[in-house]
Amino acid sequence: MIRRTFFFIFLTIFTLSLSAQYRQLNRLLQDLNATLQWNPTMGMGFIDLQGGRVIFKLGAPWLLIDYYYLVKTPGVIRKDGAILFPERSIVSIEKYFKAKAERGRLPRVAAILIDPGHGGRDPGAIGFHIINGKKKKIQEKDVALKVALKLNAMLEKEFSDKKIFLTRKDDTYVKLEERTKLANDVSIEDNEAIIFVSIHANASFNKNAKGFEVWYLPPEYRRNLINPDSLEDENKEIAPILNVLLEEEYTIESITLAREIISGFDREIGNITENRGIKEECWFVVRNARMPSVLVELGFITNREEGLRLEQDEYLQKLSRGIYTGIRNFVRSFESTKGFTE
Ligand SMILES: [Zn+2]
């Protein structure tokens, strides 16, 4: 009998301490002044607070903070219709955001990579046009490089605090793998992002085709952003989930960047040539760059009128300014809307 009483006392204490280890999600949101997006199909929640995000999955042994910081957790559970958050994990979240605020490290774009397409023995698209009775050859690699160099100068002037890289500075051949490796090797802090802009010119059998367009990666394309080998053993199984989440983040940012560049072009040359809009494609360079990335097509080298324009310094200046304005607006909104608001 005494034994049984002890057992019940023990059970009561155990149950009480168990419930004390959890906080109701609704209360947690109030406490942290946070908002929730809930995905019932995946059993996943996205908690937005202080310009950052905490992602959890019911029953999963991890939490992901700011798409970067992985925290072990006893698991977020559902009990009697309520979602319960482990106190232990709340401590981790609070610690993270306190440290982040103290460091004053706001999300920022740390580096911009400009990638002039082709080069050296790879001329890219070529257009032949007769000008004043003479045959004139226009090559994509030259147009891309000229625009990239102008863009580089504009960005360096505007953003002295950022690293601006070119994947090539002259007429040399750079392998595609080397370009993306260069991009992926740039070291950044956890609050920083890199953007990647590849510059090309178009060609078509249809000599009338003209205009500018910007490509980004389609959302359904599966990239390997996180290598499972880089994760600890017990976390390996979550690599695919992390990949999907990161990919969504990069896709949204890539589309935003593409939109900004298109409207930059539209302002500069919208009255001169066609706006062909934003498109999706799995270009190699874009696909392997683990960051928001777009591919810009300046115009059609094979169109006589446009081909000749792509030879004029003044026109190339306008194109460069279009891309520059797009990048600048992207950076501004990235650094302000993702930053702390208080
Ligand atoms: Zn190209």
Side-chain angles (χ1 to χ4, degrees), residues 117-118 124-125 140 199-202 283 295 297:
H118 314 278
E140 180 185 354
I199 300 173
H200 292 252
N202 249 325
W283 293 93
L295 190 145
E297 294 280 4

Side-chain angles (χ1 to χ4, degrees), residues 157-298:
K157 203 170 154 211
E158 169 77 19
F159 298 118
S160 52
D161 62 324
K162 304 191 191 310
K163 296 173 209 154
I164 318 288
F165 294 96
L166 283 159
T167 54
R168 68 178 175 98
K169 294 188 174 85
D170 47 32
D171 186 20
T172 46
Y173 179 75
V174 184
K175 275 194 216 152
L176 289 175
E177 301 81 29
E178 288 171 41
R179 293 172 201 253
T180 47
K181 191 177 180 308
L182 193 76
N184 289 328
D185 282 355
V186 177
S187 73
I188 49 166
E189 301 289 318
D190 58 314
N191 62 320
E192 295 178 331
I194 313 175
I195 59 180
F196 187 88
V197 179
S198 195
I199 300 173
H200 292 252
N202 249 325
S204 171
F205 288 114
N206 172 10
K207 301 280 180 232
N208 295 320
K210 62 172 184 177
F212 54 86
E213 57 199 31
V214 181
W215 298 75
Y216 72 94
L217 194 77
E220 63 274 17
Y221 198 89
R222 294 285 169 257
R223 286 175 291 184
N224 283 322
L225 302 164
I226 288 185
N227 177 359
D229 296 339
S230 71
L231 296 170
E232 286 171 48
D233 272 353
E234 70 249 56
N235 291 331
K236 275 197 192 346
E237 72 217 29
I238 69 162
I241 298 176
L242 293 181
N243 275 322
V244 172
L245 293 172
L246 271 176
E247 183 186 319
E248 279 169 4
E249 172 90 344
Y250 290 148
T251 302
I252 293 165
E253 283 164 4
S254 299
I255 294 172
T256 310
L257 178 58
R259 272 200 200 121
E260 292 289 3
I261 293 176
I262 279 287
S263 56
F265 276 149
D266 214 33
R267 219 167 300 147
E268 296 289 334
I269 51 167
N271 57 339
I272 305 174
T273 189
E274 214 175 290
N275 178 348
R276 300 166 63 94
I278 299 169
K279 314 205 166 173
E280 329 183 314
E281 183 54 280
C282 312
W283 293 93
F284 182 90
V285 172
V286 181
R287 184 177 69 220
N288 282 286
R290 294 192 293 259
M291 56 201 68
S293 41
V294 294
L295 190 145
V296 173
E297 294 280 4
L298 300 169

Side-chain angles (χ1 to χ4, degrees), residues 1-25:
M1 191 61 199
I2 291 173
R3 253 202 196 161
R4 219 157 138 191
T5 313
F6 270 123
F7 176 73
F8 277 114
I9 290 170
F10 171 76
L11 196 70
T12 314
I13 292 171
F14 180 75
T15 315
L16 278 173
S17 66
L18 194 70
S19 61
Q21 286 169 356
Y22 286 88
R23 202 183 300 180
Q24 281 228 12
L25 182 62

